[in-house]
Amino acid sequence: AQSNSEHSRHWFFGGRMVIDGEEMDTTLFKMVKATLKGVEDNSVIAFHDNSSAIKGYQVPHFKPSAPGGPCSLEIDQSVTLHPIL
């Protein structure tokens, strides 16, 4: 039951790595995080609380024209949505 717990994953990805009897100077987690080098401008959140988000794009969405009571909807173009991974 605990094989996929957060604690187990941190231990696995942050543990020392030995390949063919030779200890590597990096961990799996450091290898994954190294992929951000050179593209950091695209990451809004990187490896925080087991999630990441990349820069998104502006999308139109509906919003009430007069919040707080009955009203029509209007299209707002000012929201940027960032995909969360």
Side-chain angles (χ1 to χ4, degrees), residues 30-79:
K30 287 179 183 176
M31 290 173 68
V32 170
K33 289 178 90 171
T35 62
L36 290 174
K37 291 181 179 164
V39 293
E40 294 176 21
D41 293 319
N42 194 36
S43 295
V44 178
I45 302 170
F47 304 107
H48 183 76
D49 282 343
N50 296 324
S51 66
S52 298
I54 57 175
K55 281 188 183 174
Y57 44 89
Q58 286 194 328
V59 294
H61 72 284
F62 289 110
K63 71 175 189 177
S65 59
C71 63
S72 61
L73 296 174
E74 56 188 37
I75 296 177
D76 185 357
Q77 299 279 348
S78 64
V79 173

